Every structure is written in C-alpha cells, then in structure tokens.
Amino acid sequence: MAEISVTKVEQSGQTKIKNVPIAVTPEGFWCCPSPVVFQKTPKTQNPLNKPKSSPPAPTPSSAFQKKQNSVSEKKQANPSPKSNLVSNDQKAPNSDASLPCLPSVTERTPRLKTDNVPRKVSIEFGEAGTSDLKVILLGKQGFAVKMCVHKNILIEHSSFFANKILEQQLVFSCLEIDDCDDVEIYVETVGLMYCKELKQRLIKQSVPHVLRILKIAEQLGFTSCIQSCLEYLEAVPWVGEEEEDNVVNSVLRLQVEGIGVTPVLKRVSSDVSKPPKETLSQILELVLKSNDERGRREMKSIVLKLLGESNNLPSCSSSGDACNETIYGYCRSCLDMLLSAFRQATESEFTSKLNDSREPFLKQISLEADNLLWLLDILADRLAADEFAVMWARQKELASLHAKLPIVSRYHVSCITARLFVGLGKGELLPSKDIRHLLLETWLQPLINDYSWLQHGCRTFDRKVVEEGIGRTILTLPLEEQQSILLGWLGSFLRAGDNCPNLQKAFEVWWRRTFVRPYTDSVNLPQPDSTTALNIVEK
C-alpha cells in the first residue's frame, strides 16, 4: 500500500496533514482514489458541528479522525498556540514538499459566515523517493494537486508532456499545469500511463466517466488511452438518446491523427449507400402484409410516430418526394385489392350462399381498409394527402358496391371517409373545389348510412370531430353547392336523428350566408330564390 498526503489549509493559517491509504498498481503507480477525496471540503471548527462517528473497524483514516476530534476540542479551548499536529508517523518524506495553496475564500469574501466557507485542499500522489518529476495541477475548483511521476513514462505515452519536458529543459524537475478543468480525471489519466492493459482498467466504468478520460487523453496526446476508450465505447451499450449524442459528439471532436473513429460511428451511420426509398418500401411492405393483428397494429403506430418525428428534419426534405411516391404506390395497390374484394363479396353466387363463403373476402376488405387508413394518416402528417382525396373521390364503383354489403363488413371503408373529412376540416389537405364537391357527393351518403354503427362499434370514432370536419368541408364550397348538400342532409337528419351526423352549425352558417346576405352590399351576388326558405320550412 502507498499513501497520499492531503494538506488542508485552515483559516487561522495552521496546517493539518492526512494520510489516506490507497492501492498501488502492479506497475508501480496508484489507482485513483474516490472522487470524495477531491470533493471534500473541511468544515470550520465548531462545537455544534462534531464529526460523525467512525465505523467499528479501525482504519488509518478513522484513527486520524479520532485524533482530529481531540485536537479540535483543544483548539476550541485555546485557539492561539502554534500548530503541533503532525505525528511522527505522518512525517513522510514527500509531505514536506511545498504545495501551492490558494488564498482562503474567507479572505476574498469576508461577509460570508465562517460556517459556509470552503477550504482549499492539496493532494499529493506517488512516491517522491522514486520519481524524477513533479507535476502540479492547479484546478479551477481551487485544488492544488502534486503528482510524483517519471519523465520517461510521460514522454513515452504523452506528446503533450514530451513537448513540455523537452522544450523547457526542466531544471527543478517541476511542471505546473494551470486551469485544469477536471483534476480528478487528469490524475487518473496520468495514472493509466503506468498500466499495461488499459482496456481492462475501463471495464465496468460508466460511459460518462470514460468520455471524461477520453477528453483528457486527447489533451495529453495519450494515443493508446484514446484507442482503448474508443474500443470501450464501440463495445459497451449506450443508454438513452442523450448518452448516444454525447458519445457521438465526443468522438467527432477527436483531432488526433491516426486514430480511427469509424468503428464507433458505424453504430449510428452506415457505409452502405441504400436509398431511403428502398428501405421505407421494405418496411411498409412488411407491415402491410403482416398476418398478426396485434403486431401489425403496434408497428403501424410506431412507424407512424417515427415518420412524423422525421418529417421536419433537413436530412429528410430531399427524399420527401420519393418517400411520398412510395407511399402512394402502396395506396393504389391497397385500393385495387379493396375494390376486388368488394366485387367478389357482392357477386350473386356469393350473396346467395352462406356467410362462410364470403368470409375471406370480408377479412380482406377489413385489412385493406385498415391499411389505407394508416397510409392516409402518414400522408396527412407529411402534408401530402391531397392526391389521396382525389383517388378516393373518384371511387364511384366502390361507393355503389358499399351499399350491397352488411354494415358490419363495410363500416371500415366509412372510417376512411371520416378521416378525410377530419383532415379537410383541419386544413391538413387542400384539394380543389371540384374534388371536395365530388368527395361529398360520392361518400357523404354512405357515411350517413354507417353512422350509427360507427358511433357504437368503432372505439376510435370521435363524433364531434367528424361532424365538425364534414360541416367545414361543406362550407368551403360555393353557396349553391352548400345548399344542395345541406338540404339533402336535412332530409336524412329528420328521418334518422342521432343516427345521422349533426351538421346544424354548418346549416346555420349557410342560412346566414343565404338569407342575411352580409356581403351583397359590397359584391354583386345573384339574389337567392325567395321560395327557398319556404320550401325548407314545408319539408
């Protein structure tokens, strides 16, 4: 065992020396002590703040603590006598070296209470009798640390120390390093120069700790340590995005020639020039063709979330059109299979048979409708769903076949229509006026027919949001088209009541636009038919 001597500078100018046993490596140097040695600041002498009792097992440090307690009590009774606190055992050959000590904090800030004043701590490492160089680290935290080291070791492992030693031609064999950012890690990194198996020393260390060592090793030009740190970082798991970012940023900042950082960075980047379009296509195909309902549902949610997070990244903007093209390719494919399943399920030879014969086609309808709904959500998040509205509005045949199947088999299609109206009402897609009118003309009545089932049989259906979307979509049309659609809705609502979308808000807006005519004074608009209101009342 070797010892380090810790010198504490008291406010009265007296000095105490503490010997702390630490382990020595087989190579003849030290293992860095606990960070508590660096962080500990002694409290001022105060009878109210007595040191904590030592553990039952006697140790050199606990023996010193007991001595310090007795000395503390004597000092309170008689603060003026000179210091006589160093025992014969504590007078080590290296303890009488002159260590730099910064002024006490109380001298610079006399207004502070003495109970809260931190003390400056000087720590000495190594054995002065066998070393030929002293390195003094002046930390920004107020620590003054002296290391007794060997020139040949530092010159062999550190280009920084080699340049310092050879250029300055040290006469007194003493080298000072000012403003050390991380004194504790600096000492540990110098200690690693005495170790043969650096990678073994890093095992079971945390990633943040190794990153601190890597930073100091780069400053010292400690190439073998840098390489060992990179090998550690390449093999150890990174926990969380923050730690991953810290590792990548630290590795990218390395400026040492001849050090390969590629193995570490391969974890977050690829050398294979595979287009994003091809990768996305493979992911979409796997999800769309999955036979497991739960796995497909969970992966649809994850892919939708991840694509939404990457929409605003600059790296994705250049490939956005290609990705949208890939998504629309799958939309057309799913739509073709949906129409084919409807045709087969509504053929006369199947309608006259038992439901079991139509079961495969009904499952296909449910699957393809769900796939289309998912693809629509992706396109809406990417603000690229206008073309989907065009495709859906033109499905006249699908809309006509829709009424030939039971509601329980067809309502999935109405979910797509409802999602489109919600997107139109929120401004997520902006198709032309003709497409908006065609969409309402083709799909509003099928949606009304399935409305009762959607409210009670579809857990994700939000009636208020859907009704608001339908109403807002209607109000974007010319006034005459608003009237045609709303009068048709009014007949359905008076027959079905709650089983029909409630578009009263849109109806009130259209009424005010038609009969109150707030804009006719400034714009020449055609006068509405005076019998329109009477016809509505009669109906």
Side-chain angles (χ1 to χ4, degrees):
M1 298 294 289
E3 295 181 345
I4 60 173
S5 58
V6 181
T7 304
K8 302 179 181 178
V9 182
E10 301 292 344
Q11 185 178 0
S12 61
Q14 297 177 350
T15 302
K16 292 182 180 181
I17 300 175
K18 179 179 180 181
N19 293 329
V20 181
I22 58 174
V24 177
T25 67
E27 295 81 5
F29 205 56
W30 61 82
C31 292
C32 193
S34 169
V36 176
V37 175
F38 291 91
Q39 299 170 359
K40 186 175 181 181
T41 55
K43 299 179 180 179
T44 55
Q45 302 293 341
N46 191 326
L48 298 178
N49 296 329
K50 294 184 179 180
K52 294 183 179 179
S53 60
S54 304
T59 61
S61 59
S62 63
F64 164 73
Q65 186 68 37
K66 293 179 179 178
K67 290 183 179 181
Q68 187 181 21
N69 292 344
S70 61
V71 173
S72 175
E73 295 172 358
K74 292 179 180 179
K75 187 174 179 180
Q76 291 298 328
N78 187 9
S80 60
K82 297 182 179 179
S83 173
N84 188 20
L85 304 177
V86 181
S87 65
N88 293 331
D89 295 337
Q90 293 169 336
K91 292 181 179 179
N94 57 1
S95 63
D96 56 353
S98 176
L99 300 177
C101 299
L102 299 179
S104 175
V105 176
T106 52
E107 297 179 4
R108 292 180 294 176
T109 56
R111 297 181 181 179
L112 296 177
K113 295 182 179 180
T114 57
D115 291 344
N116 299 324
V117 175
R119 296 290 186 263
K120 305 304 176 183
V121 180
S122 295
I123 309 174
E124 182 175 327
F125 294 92
E127 298 178 358
T130 62
S131 66
D132 57 0
L133 176 65
K134 294 181 178 64
V135 177
I136 299 177
L137 307 176
L138 303 178
K140 291 183 177 180
Q141 302 92 341
F143 295 114
V145 178
K146 183 176 73 174
M147 299 185 294
C148 298
V149 292
H150 304 82
K151 290 182 181 179
N152 62 323
I153 297 294
L154 268 61
I155 291 174
E156 178 183 355
H157 293 88
S158 169
S159 60
F160 170 79
F161 280 120
N163 294 333
K164 286 285 186 180
I165 295 172
L166 297 177
E167 288 178 3
Q168 296 186 11
Q169 294 296 324
L170 299 176
V171 179
F172 300 103
S173 297
C174 183
L175 183 63
E176 287 190 3
I177 309 297
D178 297 329
D179 296 332
C180 292
D181 293 331
D182 198 342
V183 175
E184 175 193 345
I185 300 300
Y186 206 107
V187 172
E188 182 176 356
T189 306
V190 173
L192 291 174
M193 296 181 187
Y194 287 76
C195 302
K196 294 180 180 179
E197 297 294 335
L198 295 182
K199 188 176 179 181
Q200 297 299 321
R201 297 282 177 181
L202 300 177
I203 293 178
K204 293 187 178 180
Q205 295 286 355
S206 67
V207 171
H209 188 82
V210 173
L211 290 178
R212 291 167 66 190
I213 294 177
L214 178 63
K215 181 179 179 181
I216 300 299
E218 182 187 3
Q219 295 176 7
L220 297 180
F222 190 179
T223 306
S224 59
C225 183
I226 295 174
Q227 188 63 48
S228 297
C229 290
L230 291 176
E231 292 175 2
Y232 166 91
L233 294 171
E234 188 275 332
V236 74
W238 306 336
V239 181
E241 292 184 6
E242 182 178 358
E243 186 166 279
E244 177 178 312
D245 292 339
N246 291 337
V247 172
V248 173
N249 292 333
S250 298
V251 171
L252 289 175
R253 284 196 298 263
L254 284 177
Q255 302 292 332
V256 182
E257 295 182 2
I259 297 295
V261 299
T262 303
V264 179
L265 297 179
K266 274 188 174 181
R267 191 181 295 190
V268 295
S269 62
S270 176
D271 295 334
V272 181
S273 57
K274 198 170 185 179
K277 178 180 178 180
E278 182 179 345
T279 304
L280 178 62
S281 177
Q282 184 178 2
I283 294 172
L284 292 176
E285 184 172 0
L286 288 172
V287 174
L288 293 172
K289 292 184 178 181
S290 172
N291 294 323
D292 183 76
E293 182 179 354
R294 179 178 179 181
R296 184 176 65 251
R297 182 174 64 252
E298 291 183 357
M299 287 310 303
K300 282 182 177 180
S301 177
I302 292 174
V303 173
L304 178 62
K305 181 188 72 172
L306 294 177
L307 284 174
E309 292 175 354
S310 61
N311 284 341
N312 297 325
L313 296 179
S315 59
C316 298
S317 58
S318 58
S319 59
D321 293 340
C323 292
N324 293 340
E325 181 181 347
T326 301
I327 296 171
Y328 271 114
Y330 282 103
C331 286
R332 287 186 285 270
S333 175
C334 292
L335 190 56
D336 290 341
M337 288 187 286
L338 177 65
L339 181 59
S340 175
F342 258 94
R343 288 170 178 167
Q344 292 175 324
T346 55
E347 286 181 358
S348 58
E349 58 178 301
F350 288 111
T351 54
S352 60
K353 296 180 181 180
L354 297 176
N355 291 333
D356 293 342
S357 61
R358 296 191 297 177
E359 189 65 24
F361 305 113
L362 299 181
K363 287 184 177 180
Q364 186 72 15
I365 290 173
S366 174
L367 175 62
E368 300 304 334
D370 186 65
N371 287 341
L372 281 169
L373 185 61
W374 178 56
L375 294 172
L376 174 57
D377 284 335
I378 294 175
L379 291 169
D381 282 352
R382 299 175 67 85
L383 304 180
D386 288 9
E387 184 62 28
F388 192 100
V390 175
M391 293 168 53
W392 195 248
R394 293 174 177 173
Q395 297 301 313
K396 290 284 189 180
E397 181 183 359
L398 184 61
S400 62
L401 294 174
H402 179 270
K404 297 181 180 181
L405 287 180
I407 295 179
V408 67
S409 304
R410 74 192 188 197
Y411 79 93
H412 302 283
V413 173
S414 293
C415 290
I416 301 174
T417 303
R419 177 65 181 89
L420 275 172
F421 285 136
V422 171
L424 286 166
K426 293 181 177 180
E428 294 176 342
L429 57 158
L430 303 172
S432 65
K433 173 184 68 68
D434 293 338
I435 294 300
R436 298 196 303 273
H437 182 262
L438 182 61
L439 184 65
L440 287 162
E441 188 178 63
T442 304
W443 287 109
L444 181 57
Q445 190 57 49
L447 177 62
I448 293 175
N449 295 339
D450 295 347
Y451 208 73
S452 175
W453 185 272
L454 289 173
Q455 293 182 76
H456 303 96
C458 186
R459 292 178 298 176
T460 60
F461 186 79
D462 191 330
R463 174 173 183 168
K464 291 184 178 179
V465 175
V466 172
E467 290 172 353
E468 185 176 14
I470 298 172
R472 288 181 176 182
T473 303
I474 294 173
L475 294 175
T476 62
L477 300 176
L479 198 60
E480 294 80 4
E481 294 177 357
Q482 295 177 35
Q483 174 179 316
S484 174
I485 294 173
L486 285 172
L487 290 181
W489 160 82
L490 182 59
S492 299
F493 182 73
L494 293 174
R495 290 191 301 270
D498 287 340
N499 292 328
C500 179
N502 190 337
L503 306 180
Q504 295 182 30
K505 291 183 178 179
F507 185 83
E508 291 176 6
V509 174
W510 165 79
W511 181 281
R512 287 194 295 270
R513 289 176 177 178
T514 301
F515 298 107
V516 178
R517 301 190 302 275
Y519 305 109
T520 53
D521 295 337
S522 57
V523 182
N524 292 326
L525 296 176
Q527 296 293 330
D529 187 356
S530 59
T531 60
T532 301
L534 295 177
N535 292 335
I536 294 174
V537 174
E538 291 177 359
K539 290 181 180 180

